[in-house]
Amino acid sequence: MNYIITIGREFGSGGRELGKRLADELHIPYYDKEILEEVKKRSPYGMTYIEEVSEKRPYSIPTLHFGNSFLYYKDVALEQNIDVHSLQNDILKEIATKSSCIIIGRGADYTLREFKPFNIFVYADMDSKVNRCKSRLKEGENITDKELIKNIKMTDKKRKSFYEFYTGKKWGDKSSYDLMINTSNANIKQMAKNIADLIRDIYKDN
Amino acid sequence: MNYIITIGREFGSGGRELGKRLADELHIPYYDKEILEEVKKRSPYGMTYIEEVSEKRPYSIPTLHFGNSFLYYKDVALEQNIDVHSLQNDILKEIATKSSCIIIGRGADYTLREFKPFNIFVYADMDSKVNRCKSRLKEGENITDKELIKNIKMTDKKRKSFYEFYTGKKWGDKSSYDLMINTSNANIKQMAKNIADLIRDIYKDN
């Protein structure tokens, strides 16, 4: 059985953990940061830059006008950003062509649409996301709930903006997904088993 | 285990069938039209009227002004509509107080919020909904795809309007649901088994 599964997720909802566990359950490879490593190999860009732009919408500087003439310039920042996105898409398609896979984020549901993937969106209540983020802080790391909420909202705002720019669809809206699951207070290990069963049965019937 | 489960659904998505099968799997009662029968017993209204307004947003006639004076009148249609809704809510709460249950539609996720229900939303692609509606036509019943699509859209428009009027929330938006599932081309019998397992495990952990 060839499973192509994509997972969109709110920051702090446990989408990454769910994806990893789902990959274990279905015995298929899982890709998240691995895609960025591959972009790095194929491009002149450093990891910090790739990480920065890989799920970020590019912003173009408006063209300048002087009287009736245009001041032509190359928007290098924009071109590099689109370059990373394009490489990322090539890699996603290569992965999906080769074998089953679970892809986290990156608008993969849209990039891989010709493969008819099973698209999941993972979300949770803010309290649950804050608690999850707190439980993952490193020792000695200090951050208030207020700051955490600000980070969560900012990250999701970027993801939404990236997704909607490249796909023309609404991030987190049911029209793009086969399954949307709220992980508030959930045991994600058990949830991954149940979702793996559900997906196995759906693939069996189609 | 006390399960309180609500199911919102797009017309033609199989939400009703999923609810019935889920009730069988979990061995708990299922309520849909049964609620209307109970409203009938407790009110002076006929079944046709109750069915007509039970998931419909009421519309008030604007108050008339003559110069500086108001023409007072009782908006009977509005009052009757709200009366049915209020009875419906009382019945939902009585059901949830007594035992486990699955409730279809009626903004039950909001009415029963104090019971912390497990809220499901069922949706599907238009093609799948049209095919489902077609397969349920009575012998000799003739209706074009165009008419079916019009009916599906109109029914969902009413449901959305009803839901948003009484709950102040957005119908079919993830913020109101624990699980949202796309039933396009699905084997709903098998899907109900998988979802029953998922719900059993979520209740076990909470």
Side-chain angles (χ1 to χ4, degrees), chain B residues 36-167:
Chain B
L36 305 185
E37 289 290 347
E38 196 56 36
V39 172
K40 186 171 179 294
K41 277 189 207 158
R42 301 187 192 185
S43 76
Y45 313 123
M47 198 49 161
T48 313
Y49 174 73
I50 294 169
E51 277 189 341
E52 166 67 19
V53 302
S54 73
E55 277 196 274
K56 195 174 169 188
R57 172 194 171 146
Y59 290 95
S60 172
I61 306 157
T63 310
L64 300 173
H65 294 241
F66 287 99
N68 287 326
S69 70
F70 290 90
L71 179 68
Y72 178 77
Y73 69 96
K74 219 168 134 82
D75 187 341
V76 179
L78 176 68
E79 284 186 10
Q80 284 183 351
N81 195 323
I82 290 177
D83 200 20
V84 168
H85 182 68
S86 166
L87 267 170
Q88 194 165 254
N89 280 353
D90 292 347
I91 294 162
L92 288 180
K93 285 179 188 169
E94 283 172 32
I95 290 169
T97 304
K98 238 174 13 198
S99 79
S100 289
C101 55
I102 295 191
I103 312 279
I104 307 293
R106 288 147 234 292
D109 59 301
Y110 182 74
T111 308
L112 299 180
R113 62 196 181 281
E114 66 195 275
F115 294 87
K116 300 197 184 307
F118 187 83
N119 301 316
I120 302 176
F121 191 86
V122 184
Y123 58 103
D125 305 343
M126 186 54 86
D127 279 357
S128 170
K129 292 189 285 193
V130 167
N131 288 337
R132 192 175 175 83
C133 289
K134 270 176 168 172
S135 73
R136 298 164 78 89
L137 290 177
K138 287 173 197 132
E139 227 186 284
E141 214 174 349
N142 236 332
I143 180 162
T144 63
D145 283 11
K146 207 177 152 187
E147 285 170 312
L148 272 176
I149 291 172
K150 200 176 147 195
N151 286 354
I152 290 168
K153 284 187 177 168
M154 204 178 60
T155 306
D156 281 349
K157 201 175 160 188
K158 275 189 202 160
R159 286 181 181 172
K160 179 180 157 70
S161 178
F162 165 86
Y163 184 87
E164 297 185 355
F165 178 80
Y166 280 114
T167 71

Side-chain angles (χ1 to χ4, degrees), chain A residues 10 121 123 170 172 174 177-182 185 187 190-191 194-195 197-198 201-202 205-206, chain B residues 10 121 123 170 172 174 177-182 185 187 190-191 194 197-198 201-202 205-206:
Chain A
E10 287 181 354
F121 191 85
Y123 58 103
K170 215 177 145 208
K174 64 184 185 303
Y177 308 98
D178 298 289
L179 175 75
M180 301 182 71
I181 187 121
N182 187 332
N185 312 312
N187 172 340
Q190 182 55 53
M191 193 173 257
N194 295 124
I195 295 176
D197 286 340
L198 177 82
D201 285 323
I202 287 174
D205 287 321
N206 280 290
Chain B
E10 286 182 354
F121 191 86
Y123 58 103
K170 213 176 146 210
K174 63 183 186 303
Y177 307 97
D178 298 289
L179 176 74
M180 301 182 72
I181 187 120
N182 187 332
N185 312 313
N187 173 340
Q190 182 56 53
M191 194 173 256
N194 294 125
D197 287 339
L198 177 81
D201 286 322
I202 287 173
D205 286 321
N206 281 287

Side-chain angles (χ1 to χ4, degrees), chain B residues 5-47:
Chain B
I5 299 168
T6 76
I7 300 187
R9 75 294 184 216
E10 286 182 354
F11 187 72
S13 68
R16 191 179 155 84
E17 183 190 339
L18 186 74
K20 272 189 181 174
R21 293 193 182 276
L22 208 48
D24 286 346
E25 288 293 327
L26 296 169
H27 310 291
I28 64 177
Y30 158 95
Y31 299 90
D32 184 2
K33 304 277 176 202
E34 297 76 1
I35 297 158
L36 305 185
E37 289 290 347
E38 196 56 36
V39 172
K40 186 171 179 294
K41 277 189 207 158
R42 301 187 192 185
S43 76
Y45 313 123
M47 198 49 161

Side-chain angles (χ1 to χ4, degrees), chain A residues 51-204:
Chain A
E51 277 190 341
E52 167 67 18
V53 302
S54 74
E55 276 197 275
K56 198 175 169 187
R57 171 191 173 149
Y59 289 95
S60 170
I61 305 156
T63 309
L64 300 173
H65 294 243
F66 286 99
N68 288 326
S69 70
F70 290 89
L71 180 66
Y72 178 76
Y73 69 96
K74 219 169 133 82
D75 188 341
V76 179
L78 176 68
E79 284 186 8
Q80 285 183 350
N81 195 324
I82 289 177
D83 200 20
V84 167
H85 183 67
S86 167
L87 267 171
Q88 195 166 252
N89 280 354
D90 292 347
I91 294 162
L92 289 180
K93 285 178 187 169
E94 283 172 31
I95 290 169
T97 304
K98 236 174 16 198
S99 79
S100 289
C101 56
I102 295 191
I103 313 279
I104 307 292
R106 291 149 233 289
D109 60 301
Y110 182 75
T111 308
L112 299 179
R113 62 196 181 281
E114 66 194 277
F115 295 86
K116 300 198 184 308
F118 187 83
N119 301 316
I120 302 176
F121 191 85
V122 183
Y123 58 103
D125 305 342
M126 186 54 86
D127 279 357
S128 169
K129 291 189 285 194
V130 167
N131 287 336
R132 191 173 175 84
C133 289
K134 269 179 171 172
S135 73
R136 297 164 78 89
L137 290 177
K138 287 175 197 132
E139 226 188 284
E141 213 174 348
N142 236 331
I143 181 162
T144 63
D145 283 12
K146 207 177 149 187
E147 285 170 312
L148 272 176
I149 291 172
K150 201 177 146 196
N151 286 353
I152 290 168
K153 285 187 176 168
M154 206 176 59
T155 306
D156 281 350
K157 201 176 159 188
K158 274 188 204 160
R159 286 182 182 173
K160 179 180 158 69
S161 178
F162 165 85
Y163 183 88
E164 297 184 355
F165 178 80
Y166 280 113
T167 71
K169 300 195 295 170
K170 215 177 145 208
W171 188 69
D173 182 81
K174 64 184 185 303
S175 56
S176 297
Y177 308 98
D178 298 289
L179 175 75
M180 301 182 71
I181 187 121
N182 187 332
T183 54
S184 305
N185 312 312
N187 172 340
I188 291 188
K189 192 174 171 184
Q190 182 55 53
M191 193 173 257
K193 284 184 191 185
N194 295 124
I195 295 176
D197 286 340
L198 177 82
I199 293 175
R200 257 187 232 106
D201 285 323
I202 287 174
Y203 271 74
K204 220 189 308 171

